Amino acid sequence: MSAKRPVVIDLKFSRVAMDEALKDAFPDREVIDLARPDHAGRDLGSAAYALLWKPDPALFKRATALEVLFSGGAGVDHILALPDLPDRPIVRFVDRSLTDRMSEWVVMNCLYHLRQMAAYQKQQREKIWHEIPLQPEARDVTVGVMGLGVLGEDAARKLKVMGFNVIGWSRRKKTLEGMETFDEDHMDDFLARTDILVGLLPLTSETRGLYDSSLFARLRQGGPLGKPVFLNAGRGGSQVEADVIIALQKGVLGAASLDVFEKEPLAADSPLWAMENVVITPHAAAASDVSALIRHVEAQIHRFEAGEPLEHVVDRWAGY
Ligand code: NDP
Ligand code: OXD
């Protein structure tokens, strides 16, 4: 019986992408796609599974018999904060293409700052032909990756291939070949060595507001890039944006690349938009591929109904 129970979907992808992804999906079960006007009012009382990205907060009042919740992304802060959240397993999205995309974003931005692309782009706009003399090599620069989970570990390995000296920080100490790693008790040692800080942390009560003036002041000053650089593609709630702006204005930070913001979309009057040493992308570092997401959910439901353990289950106590 339960093998046939419906799946309810509340995602924010384009209609075309959703229709394509759902074309042959869940062949034996009803799919209630709340983004479709003709599905929006359906009874959710028998739905066993919910696939969600920033869902309607009232969803759990309607879907009262859920067995498993699936996050439409790797992050689950948008689910854990929901009212009436049922005490059921939450499975997050872990996917090769998402991981590869995030590592592309991280490597690209580290290289962008290493190779002084902001200065070259300014020269290009001004039609100036001038080679900037100081050019450190990647091996001279230490990239400190905060968060060594699925995304942080992959990015760290790929940065290493590019020649950077890579170090990492996570809640519990990790062992990664060729990299020095630090646990949460050794944050200061980690920061003091870091020239480019890469934020790939989930948003939890412990990581909210973590990237603030005090943290920026503890990064290595006077390294090969002159001033430290801050990259964040984890969650905007982990950065105190006013402190990022002040640190950039005062030269505590030399540059930044930000994919995530305290409030998204970033307000039109944010000073960050106009800063020449800041790269802004609109929470686009690693978008979920909706077809891969649907396949992942199908596979996990198959496991669940076969009595096998679910994979990538969120630790609610840790918050990620
Ligand atoms: P994982 O859960 O695999 O890894 C999280 C890492 O953060 C772990 O290494 C964990 O430590 C560490 N961590 C968590 N809390 C703390 C803490 N308080 N102190 C120190 N370390 C901590 O997550 P992913 O790598 O898959 O994803 C990371 C985040 O990236 C997501 O939660 C999401 O917010 C964001 N993201 C952003 C995207 C974008 O497009 N911008 C796309 C996808 C994800 P430990 O290893 O000890 O558990
Ligand atoms: C995610 C995201 O968490 O896109 O997957 O931010």
Side-chain angles (χ1 to χ4, degrees):
M1 261 309 273
S2 85
K4 306 290 178 197
R5 283 176 58 196
V7 55
V8 55
I9 300 182
D10 189 354
L11 295 174
K12 308 290 176 273
F13 293 98
S14 80
R15 193 64 261 153
V16 177
M18 282 302 290
D19 287 343
E20 180 58 29
L22 288 172
K23 210 170 41 187
D24 304 313
F26 306 107
D28 295 336
R29 91 179 63 241
E30 184 190 5
V31 175
I32 306 170
D33 180 356
L34 294 178
R36 283 180 51 167
D38 57 327
H39 286 200
R42 282 204 193 164
D43 177 17
L44 309 184
S46 61
Y49 309 104
L51 170 55
L52 310 169
W53 181 251
K54 299 185 178 167
D56 177 357
L59 182 91
F60 301 126
K61 288 213 182 317
R62 293 174 62 198
T64 50
L66 293 172
E67 302 274 358
V68 184
L69 312 182
F70 294 93
S71 170
V76 291
D77 45 297
H78 64 111
I79 293 183
L80 291 176
L82 288 170
D84 308 310
L85 182 66
D87 186 13
R88 290 284 180 268
I90 302 171
V91 174
R92 65 192 201 93
F93 186 37
V94 173
D95 173 56
R96 180 206 52 81
S97 86
L98 188 151
T99 305
D100 283 350
R101 284 176 188 153
M102 180 58 84
S103 294
E104 288 164 8
W105 187 93
V106 171
V107 172
M108 173 186 74
N109 279 286
C110 287
L111 290 173
Y112 179 94
H113 295 293
L114 173 74
R115 300 303 300 258
Q116 308 182 63
M117 284 307 296
Y120 278 117
Q121 285 184 325
K122 182 167 188 294
Q123 288 189 180
Q124 182 178 342
R125 284 193 296 276
E126 294 166 2
K127 300 184 182 160
I128 295 171
W129 182 274
H130 167 69
E131 184 179 348
I132 300 168
L134 180 70
Q135 179 57 73
E137 284 185 77
R139 68 179 58 225
D140 303 327
V141 173
T142 298
V143 181
V145 180
M146 281 184 112
L148 293 176
V150 174
L151 302 182
E153 180 172 338
D154 191 72
R157 289 189 195 287
K158 289 172 179 166
L159 287 164
K160 190 93 190 140
V161 171
M162 288 311 303
F164 288 100
N165 180 43
V166 184
I167 62 177
W169 182 80
S170 52
R171 201 156 61 87
R172 298 156 293 191
K173 188 164 165 64
K174 280 199 110 164
T175 306
L176 298 183
E177 203 188 320
M179 289 174 226
E180 194 174 350
T181 55
F182 301 80
D183 65 19
E184 61 180 346
D185 294 334
H186 293 87
M187 193 208 251
D188 284 358
D189 299 337
F190 164 83
L191 294 174
R193 301 263 309 278
T194 295
D195 300 308
I196 301 180
L197 180 69
V198 175
L200 280 174
L201 287 168
L203 182 62
T204 68
S205 55
E206 288 182 2
T207 66
R208 185 174 291 282
L210 183 72
Y211 309 120
D212 64 1
S213 297
S214 125
L215 181 144
F216 299 139
R218 286 178 278 154
L219 292 166
R220 174 152 79 150
Q221 286 289 338
L225 301 176
K227 292 170 180 166
V229 174
F230 173 52
L231 271 58
N232 190 11
R235 280 289 180 267
S238 295
Q239 73 204 11
V240 179
E241 238 145 80
D243 287 7
V244 177
I245 293 165
I246 291 169
L248 287 162
Q249 286 167 338
K250 289 194 169 164
V252 175
L253 290 175
S257 291
L258 304 172
D259 184 59
V260 289
F261 300 88
E262 278 178 29
K263 188 166 183 309
E264 297 175 1
L266 179 63
D269 62 358
S270 169
L272 289 167
W273 288 110
M275 291 182 166
E276 284 186 352
N277 52 352
V278 175
V279 175
I280 290 177
T281 47
H283 200 137
S288 299
D289 175 319
V290 63
S291 295
L293 172 63
I294 299 293
R295 284 197 302 275
H296 149 87
V297 172
E298 286 184 313
Q300 294 302 322
I301 291 178
H302 181 77
R303 289 178 71 92
F304 182 72
E305 292 181 348
E308 293 166 27
L310 292 162
E311 296 169 308
H312 317 303
V313 175
V314 172
D315 175 347
R316 287 204 194 198
W317 177 83
Y320 64 97

mmCIF file of all heavy atoms in Angstrom, residues 5 9 21 29 51 55 59 61 67 73 130-131 145 148 165 175 202 211 216 244 254 262 270 278 304 310:
data_model
loop_
_atom_site.group_PDB
_atom_site.id
_atom_site.type_symbol
_atom_site.label_atom_id
_atom_site.label_comp_id
_atom_site.label_asym_id
_atom_site.label_seq_id
_atom_site.Cartn_x
_atom_site.Cartn_y
_atom_site.Cartn_z
ATOM 1 N N ARG A 5 1.815 5.413 -2.167
ATOM 2 C CA ARG A 5 1.313 6.688 -1.617
ATOM 3 C C ARG A 5 1.937 7.889 -2.330
ATOM 4 O O ARG A 5 3.081 7.843 -2.784
ATOM 5 C CB ARG A 5 1.581 6.731 -0.108
ATOM 6 C CG ARG A 5 0.574 5.854 0.648
ATOM 7 C CD ARG A 5 0.871 5.808 2.104
ATOM 8 N NE ARG A 5 0.875 7.133 2.684
ATOM 9 C CZ ARG A 5 1.406 7.413 3.874
ATOM 10 N NH1 ARG A 5 1.978 6.465 4.582
ATOM 11 N NH2 ARG A 5 1.366 8.622 4.342
ATOM 12 N N ILE A 9 5.209 17.818 -4.153
ATOM 13 C CA ILE A 9 6.401 18.570 -4.545
ATOM 14 C C ILE A 9 6.111 20.062 -4.425
ATOM 15 O O ILE A 9 5.102 20.547 -4.938
ATOM 16 C CB ILE A 9 6.802 18.217 -6.002
ATOM 17 C CG1 ILE A 9 7.104 16.727 -6.086
ATOM 18 C CG2 ILE A 9 7.977 19.053 -6.469
ATOM 19 C CD1 ILE A 9 7.548 16.244 -7.437
ATOM 20 N N ALA A 21 11.538 17.056 -16.142
ATOM 21 C CA ALA A 21 12.068 16.153 -15.100
ATOM 22 C C ALA A 21 11.020 15.143 -14.636
ATOM 23 O O ALA A 21 11.351 14.018 -14.263
ATOM 24 C CB ALA A 21 12.574 16.972 -13.915
ATOM 25 N N ARG A 29 3.006 6.233 -8.861
ATOM 26 C CA ARG A 29 2.403 6.971 -7.740
ATOM 27 C C ARG A 29 1.937 8.338 -8.192
ATOM 28 O O ARG A 29 2.464 8.911 -9.143
ATOM 29 C CB ARG A 29 3.363 7.010 -6.567
ATOM 30 C CG ARG A 29 4.301 8.108 -6.441
ATOM 31 C CD ARG A 29 5.179 8.017 -5.198
ATOM 32 N NE ARG A 29 6.048 6.842 -5.165
ATOM 33 C CZ ARG A 29 5.997 5.916 -4.224
ATOM 34 N NH1 ARG A 29 5.143 6.024 -3.230
ATOM 35 N NH2 ARG A 29 6.801 4.872 -4.259
ATOM 36 N N LEU A 51 8.909 16.721 -1.355
ATOM 37 C CA LEU A 51 10.160 17.234 -1.921
ATOM 38 C C LEU A 51 10.050 18.746 -1.927
ATOM 39 O O LEU A 51 9.165 19.310 -2.601
ATOM 40 C CB LEU A 51 10.340 16.667 -3.348
ATOM 41 C CG LEU A 51 11.465 17.274 -4.178
ATOM 42 C CD1 LEU A 51 12.815 17.193 -3.466
ATOM 43 C CD2 LEU A 51 11.540 16.564 -5.538
ATOM 44 N N PRO A 55 9.466 25.806 1.061
ATOM 45 C CA PRO A 55 8.055 25.507 0.812
ATOM 46 C C PRO A 55 7.097 26.464 1.511
ATOM 47 O O PRO A 55 7.487 27.234 2.386
ATOM 48 C CB PRO A 55 7.902 24.105 1.412
ATOM 49 C CG PRO A 55 8.918 24.057 2.503
ATOM 50 C CD PRO A 55 10.089 24.879 2.026
ATOM 51 N N LEU A 59 2.374 24.004 4.628
ATOM 52 C CA LEU A 59 2.336 22.677 4.003
ATOM 53 C C LEU A 59 2.060 21.548 5.002
ATOM 54 O O LEU A 59 1.261 20.651 4.734
ATOM 55 C CB LEU A 59 3.665 22.411 3.292
ATOM 56 C CG LEU A 59 3.698 21.087 2.565
ATOM 57 C CD1 LEU A 59 3.233 21.245 1.125
ATOM 58 C CD2 LEU A 59 5.069 20.458 2.607
ATOM 59 N N LYS A 61 0.491 21.486 7.687
ATOM 60 C CA LYS A 61 -0.885 21.432 8.209
ATOM 61 C C LYS A 61 -1.770 20.637 7.240
ATOM 62 O O LYS A 61 -2.774 20.057 7.637
ATOM 63 C CB LYS A 61 -1.432 22.849 8.368
ATOM 64 C CG LYS A 61 -0.817 23.631 9.518
ATOM 65 C CD LYS A 61 -1.868 24.576 10.109
ATOM 66 C CE LYS A 61 -1.347 25.447 11.231
ATOM 67 N NZ LYS A 61 -0.502 24.817 12.206
ATOM 68 N N GLU A 67 6.081 10.589 5.595
ATOM 69 C CA GLU A 67 7.042 9.607 6.143
ATOM 70 C C GLU A 67 8.468 10.133 6.029
ATOM 71 O O GLU A 67 9.286 9.902 6.911
ATOM 72 C CB GLU A 67 6.972 8.288 5.353
ATOM 73 C CG GLU A 67 5.613 7.635 5.339
ATOM 74 C CD GLU A 67 5.401 6.754 6.558
ATOM 75 O OE1 GLU A 67 6.326 6.630 7.365
ATOM 76 O OE2 GLU A 67 4.301 6.208 6.686
ATOM 77 N N GLY A 73 17.598 21.026 -2.157
ATOM 78 C CA GLY A 73 18.990 21.477 -2.266
ATOM 79 C C GLY A 73 19.841 20.780 -1.231
ATOM 80 O O GLY A 73 19.335 20.007 -0.399
ATOM 81 N N HIS A 130 48.951 47.043 -19.575
ATOM 82 C CA HIS A 130 49.950 47.122 -18.506
ATOM 83 C C HIS A 130 49.977 45.812 -17.748
ATOM 84 O O HIS A 130 48.934 45.364 -17.254
ATOM 85 C CB HIS A 130 49.582 48.285 -17.553
ATOM 86 C CG HIS A 130 50.367 48.244 -16.274
ATOM 87 N ND1 HIS A 130 51.723 48.484 -16.211
ATOM 88 C CD2 HIS A 130 49.977 47.995 -14.990
ATOM 89 C CE1 HIS A 130 52.126 48.357 -14.957
ATOM 90 N NE2 HIS A 130 51.090 48.055 -14.192
ATOM 91 N N GLU A 131 51.144 45.207 -17.688
ATOM 92 C CA GLU A 131 51.241 43.965 -16.926
ATOM 93 C C GLU A 131 51.503 44.287 -15.455
ATOM 94 O O GLU A 131 52.473 44.967 -15.132
ATOM 95 C CB GLU A 131 52.367 43.087 -17.472
ATOM 96 C CG GLU A 131 52.416 41.765 -16.746
ATOM 97 C CD GLU A 131 53.496 40.832 -17.267
ATOM 98 O OE1 GLU A 131 54.071 41.102 -18.336
ATOM 99 O OE2 GLU A 131 53.774 39.840 -16.563
ATOM 100 N N VAL A 145 39.557 26.404 3.732
ATOM 101 C CA VAL A 145 38.169 26.031 3.429
ATOM 102 C C VAL A 145 37.439 25.767 4.743
ATOM 103 O O VAL A 145 37.826 24.880 5.513
ATOM 104 C CB VAL A 145 38.121 24.781 2.512
ATOM 105 C CG1 VAL A 145 36.671 24.404 2.196
ATOM 106 C CG2 VAL A 145 38.890 25.039 1.221
ATOM 107 N N LEU A 148 34.163 21.116 5.618
ATOM 108 C CA LEU A 148 34.817 20.064 4.810
ATOM 109 C C LEU A 148 33.836 18.929 4.582
ATOM 110 O O LEU A 148 34.163 17.757 4.752
ATOM 111 C CB LEU A 148 36.067 19.557 5.534
ATOM 112 C CG LEU A 148 37.204 20.573 5.653
ATOM 113 C CD1 LEU A 148 38.343 20.002 6.478
ATOM 114 C CD2 LEU A 148 37.715 20.982 4.261
ATOM 115 N N ASN A 165 48.059 25.950 -1.726
ATOM 116 C CA ASN A 165 48.242 25.288 -0.433
ATOM 117 C C ASN A 165 46.873 25.328 0.254
ATOM 118 O O ASN A 165 46.326 26.408 0.458
ATOM 119 C CB ASN A 165 49.286 26.052 0.395
ATOM 120 C CG ASN A 165 49.493 25.409 1.736
ATOM 121 O OD1 ASN A 165 49.587 24.183 1.834
ATOM 122 N ND2 ASN A 165 49.549 26.216 2.780
ATOM 123 N N THR A 175 40.609 14.005 8.175
ATOM 124 C CA THR A 175 41.915 13.708 7.605
ATOM 125 C C THR A 175 41.790 13.767 6.097
ATOM 126 O O THR A 175 41.034 12.991 5.504
ATOM 127 C CB THR A 175 42.367 12.284 8.035
ATOM 128 O OG1 THR A 175 42.294 12.227 9.457
ATOM 129 C CG2 THR A 175 43.777 11.991 7.574
ATOM 130 N N PRO A 202 27.109 25.005 6.365
ATOM 131 C CA PRO A 202 25.641 25.106 6.424
ATOM 132 C C PRO A 202 25.256 26.214 7.408
ATOM 133 O O PRO A 202 26.050 26.580 8.275
ATOM 134 C CB PRO A 202 25.228 23.735 6.974
ATOM 135 C CG PRO A 202 26.409 23.238 7.741
ATOM 136 C CD PRO A 202 27.642 23.852 7.118
ATOM 137 N N TYR A 211 30.907 34.908 10.095
ATOM 138 C CA TYR A 211 31.875 35.722 9.330
ATOM 139 C C TYR A 211 31.625 37.194 9.660
ATOM 140 O O TYR A 211 30.843 37.873 8.993
ATOM 141 C CB TYR A 211 31.706 35.493 7.827
ATOM 142 C CG TYR A 211 31.702 34.033 7.401
ATOM 143 C CD1 TYR A 211 30.599 33.489 6.754
ATOM 144 C CD2 TYR A 211 32.807 33.219 7.618
ATOM 145 C CE1 TYR A 211 30.588 32.167 6.343
ATOM 146 C CE2 TYR A 211 32.795 31.885 7.220
ATOM 147 C CZ TYR A 211 31.688 31.371 6.587
ATOM 148 O OH TYR A 211 31.676 30.058 6.178
ATOM 149 N N PHE A 216 37.286 38.330 10.473
ATOM 150 C CA PHE A 216 38.119 38.876 9.386
ATOM 151 C C PHE A 216 39.454 39.395 9.934
ATOM 152 O O PHE A 216 40.489 39.276 9.280
ATOM 153 C CB PHE A 216 37.373 39.988 8.639
ATOM 154 C CG PHE A 216 36.097 39.513 7.978
ATOM 155 C CD1 PHE A 216 34.938 40.295 8.007
ATOM 156 C CD2 PHE A 216 36.046 38.292 7.332
ATOM 157 C CE1 PHE A 216 33.762 39.851 7.412
ATOM 158 C CE2 PHE A 216 34.866 37.836 6.736
ATOM 159 C CZ PHE A 216 33.725 38.616 6.780
ATOM 160 N N VAL A 244 31.264 42.740 6.484
ATOM 161 C CA VAL A 244 31.992 42.452 5.236
ATOM 162 C C VAL A 244 32.293 43.778 4.533
ATOM 163 O O VAL A 244 33.428 44.027 4.082
ATOM 164 C CB VAL A 244 31.163 41.541 4.294
ATOM 165 C CG1 VAL A 244 31.895 41.310 2.968
ATOM 166 C CG2 VAL A 244 30.824 40.216 4.962
ATOM 167 N N GLY A 254 40.912 42.336 1.294
ATOM 168 C CA GLY A 254 41.320 42.944 0.023
ATOM 169 C C GLY A 254 40.256 42.791 -1.046
ATOM 170 O O GLY A 254 40.159 43.608 -1.965
ATOM 171 N N GLU A 262 22.642 37.787 3.233
ATOM 172 C CA GLU A 262 21.730 37.724 4.390
ATOM 173 C C GLU A 262 20.287 37.733 3.918
ATOM 174 O O GLU A 262 19.438 37.023 4.438
ATOM 175 C CB GLU A 262 21.966 38.930 5.304
ATOM 176 C CG GLU A 262 23.122 38.761 6.244
ATOM 177 C CD GLU A 262 23.339 40.006 7.086
ATOM 178 O OE1 GLU A 262 22.386 40.750 7.375
ATOM 179 O OE2 GLU A 262 24.502 40.252 7.446
ATOM 180 N N SER A 270 22.660 47.983 -1.818
ATOM 181 C CA SER A 270 23.827 47.461 -1.093
ATOM 182 C C SER A 270 25.109 48.019 -1.725
ATOM 183 O O SER A 270 25.293 47.947 -2.947
ATOM 184 C CB SER A 270 23.875 45.932 -1.158
ATOM 185 O OG SER A 270 25.138 45.499 -0.672
ATOM 186 N N VAL A 278 34.793 43.214 -5.564
ATOM 187 C CA VAL A 278 33.801 42.220 -5.117
ATOM 188 C C VAL A 278 33.153 41.557 -6.331
ATOM 189 O O VAL A 278 32.724 42.231 -7.266
ATOM 190 C CB VAL A 278 32.720 42.895 -4.236
ATOM 191 C CG1 VAL A 278 31.621 41.900 -3.882
ATOM 192 C CG2 VAL A 278 33.352 43.458 -2.970
ATOM 193 N N PHE A 304 13.828 3.254 0.875
ATOM 194 C CA PHE A 304 12.973 3.328 2.063
ATOM 195 C C PHE A 304 11.916 2.231 2.028
ATOM 196 O O PHE A 304 11.685 1.523 3.012
ATOM 197 C CB PHE A 304 12.323 4.718 2.109
ATOM 198 C CG PHE A 304 11.461 4.959 3.299
ATOM 199 C CD1 PHE A 304 12.021 5.147 4.562
ATOM 200 C CD2 PHE A 304 10.074 5.023 3.176
ATOM 201 C CE1 PHE A 304 11.227 5.383 5.667
ATOM 202 C CE2 PHE A 304 9.278 5.257 4.283
ATOM 203 C CZ PHE A 304 9.857 5.436 5.531
ATOM 204 N N LEU A 310 17.910 5.102 4.562
ATOM 205 C CA LEU A 310 18.010 6.279 3.703
ATOM 206 C C LEU A 310 19.432 6.814 3.748
ATOM 207 O O LEU A 310 20.125 6.663 4.763
ATOM 208 C CB LEU A 310 17.064 7.367 4.217
ATOM 209 C CG LEU A 310 15.570 7.092 4.091
ATOM 210 C CD1 LEU A 310 14.782 8.025 5.012
ATOM 211 C CD2 LEU A 310 15.117 7.258 2.640
#
